Each structure stands twice: as structure tokens, then as C-alpha cells.
Amino acid sequence: MIEKTVLVVDDEKSIRDAVTFYLKKEGYRVVPAKDGTEALEVFEMTPVDLVVLDIMMQGYGGFEVCSAIRDKSETVPIIMLSAKRDLVDKSLGFKLGADDYITKPFEPAELVMRVNSCIRRNEARGRESTSGTGKPGEVITLGDLVIDTRSRQVTAQDRSLDLTAKEYNILHLLAQRPNTVFTRQQILDAVWGYDYYGSAGVVAVFIRKLREKIEADPSKPTHILTEWGVGYRIV
């Protein structure tokens, strides 16, 4: 098994050391960074399979680092750490492209489980993208919404849209079966994976962001519709 590399970013040395210890014990190679600036320098120079990223840091904060990493890679998983339990913080983290979120203080075993889970999901997505599943080059057209599945490019109202990896994956899932209602749990299982430990409420956050990008009027959606008490469908 190829050793996986995890970038651990936290300005508290005790937390960096603890996370490093438990991840190394699990068999990971760990590259620590004491702040956001060092983290981005490491990310530029070192192939990384996952990032554990603190939010509250001096100077270049976790949200900024998350956004900068997503500009360079849509696929590397990011787990954010925070002492805050505020839903707004979680929403912003997911909006910027985080894959998971864990609140301090946390059990090291839980963090290791989440790292393992994110790594497995990312590997599974990689296998799917190279296995020829689906129809290469297929273009899905739903009214003014056009999805090129080969290039993962999406346009709406003749505008090219900048979607995060998860936003695209949700949209593609719905678009493959128009008018079919998907529950939040079904979307969560398909996009985040069956071993995801977070809440299904994250799906609503991503649906809202998708609507803001693809709908002419997000408050009156015409593409992604809500079936109250059930889930979502695309028309």
C-alpha cells in the first residue's frame, strides 16, 4: 500500500504534534505547517493526499488557505478544525470546498477515522473517473442548463459557471435522472460516501449554493426543486 501524505496545519504546536503522532501511528506520512503561509508553500512543493486545516490562525487564516488550495486542486480532501461550533463557520467552510469539519476538542481516534474516510472516498472517486463509467463526452441539456460530463463544464443562461467539485457532483447526480427525487441521505451517500460521519444537513447548504449559481432567481428555482419532506429533483 502506497504511503499517503497528510498536511497538518495548526498554529498550536501541541495540536500539531498530537495530530502528527496519531496519524503516523495509523501509517500516514505527515508534513506539519505552523501557519497558512507555510502550508501553501508546502502544498506547492509536496504532493499531498489530504489536508487537516485549522480555521483560527494568526495571519493567513484557515478559510483563506482552504480557498487557495481549492484554486489549485479540486480533489485533495480538506478537513477543517475549529474551536467554534457555529453553523455559519461550517457553512462557509463547506462553501469554500472543505470536505469535512471537526470541532475542538476532539478525540484523536475520531480525527483518524475521518481522515481514513476522506482518503477512501477520494480514491474511489479517482477509480470511477478512470474506469470509463458513464458516457465520455456526453452533454446533458436541461433547458438553459448544459453539463459537459467530459470536461465537467457547466453553463446556464449562456454563462460558464465556476462550480466546486462537490457542487458539480451533486448537479451531475441529479441531472442523470431528471424528475427523480433524491433524498438528502441518497445525495450524501453518493457524493460524500457511505462512511461520511457528518450531518445530512450539509446537502441543503450545497443545494443553496448551486441554486445561487445556476438559477436566474435562486428564491424561485426552476431547475433544482424541493420536494418538501422528501428531497430534491432537477427538471
Side-chain angles (χ1 to χ4, degrees):
M1 180 177 178
I2 299 174
E3 186 180 49
K4 300 296 184 182
T5 299
V6 179
L7 172 59
V8 175
V9 190
D10 200 300
D11 57 1
E12 293 186 45
K13 186 177 184 302
S14 60
I15 293 179
R16 276 200 318 275
D17 290 347
V19 172
T20 296
F21 173 81
Y22 284 100
L23 289 179
K24 283 186 174 180
K25 188 176 178 181
E26 188 72 9
Y28 291 103
R29 174 177 178 260
V30 179
V31 182
K34 66 180 183 299
D35 56 35
T37 301
E38 184 177 353
L40 291 178
E41 290 173 355
V42 171
F43 193 81
E44 286 281 358
M45 302 295 294
T46 307
V48 169
D49 297 291
L50 183 139
V51 180
V52 176
L53 176 61
D54 185 34
I55 291 178
M56 302 299 292
M57 295 186 293
Q58 295 287 335
Y60 211 31
F63 290 135
E64 295 169 296
V65 175
C66 181
S67 180
I69 288 175
R70 275 292 167 260
D71 286 342
K72 301 175 187 300
S73 171
E74 288 189 351
T75 58
V76 63
I78 300 173
I79 298 176
M80 304 203 80
L81 306 178
S82 177
K84 295 185 175 182
R85 298 177 181 272
D86 194 337
L87 183 60
V88 174
D89 273 354
K90 291 185 179 182
S91 175
L92 179 56
F94 286 126
K95 172 185 174 182
L96 293 173
D99 294 84
D100 205 348
Y101 188 109
I102 187 167
T103 305
K104 298 178 182 177
F106 53 84
E107 290 292 333
E110 180 183 1
L111 177 61
V112 169
M113 285 192 297
R114 295 198 184 201
V115 168
N116 290 340
S117 176
C118 282
I119 290 286
R120 285 196 299 269
R121 288 199 303 270
N122 207 44
E123 288 180 333
R125 284 196 294 267
R127 288 193 296 269
E128 289 170 2
S129 67
T130 59
S131 65
T133 56
K135 299 178 181 178
E138 179 186 11
V139 175
I140 302 173
T141 302
L142 299 167
D144 60 15
L145 182 65
V146 180
I147 305 167
D148 187 327
T149 63
R150 181 178 57 185
S151 64
R152 294 173 64 95
Q153 294 299 307
V154 180
T155 59
Q157 299 98 47
D158 295 322
R159 296 179 293 106
S160 180
L161 306 183
D162 182 19
L163 302 185
T164 67
K166 279 193 168 50
E167 288 169 351
Y168 174 85
N169 290 340
I170 292 171
L171 182 63
H172 186 218
L173 175 70
L174 299 178
Q176 289 179 94
R177 296 170 62 188
N179 290 309
T180 298
V181 179
F182 289 81
T183 67
R184 286 186 180 185
Q185 191 61 51
Q186 286 174 321
I187 296 172
L188 196 70
D189 291 343
V191 176
W192 276 264
Y194 291 99
D195 49 3
Y196 176 70
Y197 294 101
S199 166
V202 67
V203 174
V205 174
F206 277 84
I207 291 291
R208 184 178 71 248
K209 299 311 299 181
L210 261 177
R211 283 172 171 163
E212 290 174 356
K213 294 181 179 181
I214 72 174
E215 302 285 1
D217 182 355
S219 66
K220 299 177 181 179
T222 59
H223 288 298
I224 300 178
L225 306 183
T226 300
E227 294 295 328
W228 296 105
V230 183
Y232 305 95
R233 64 185 174 95
I234 196 166
V235 296

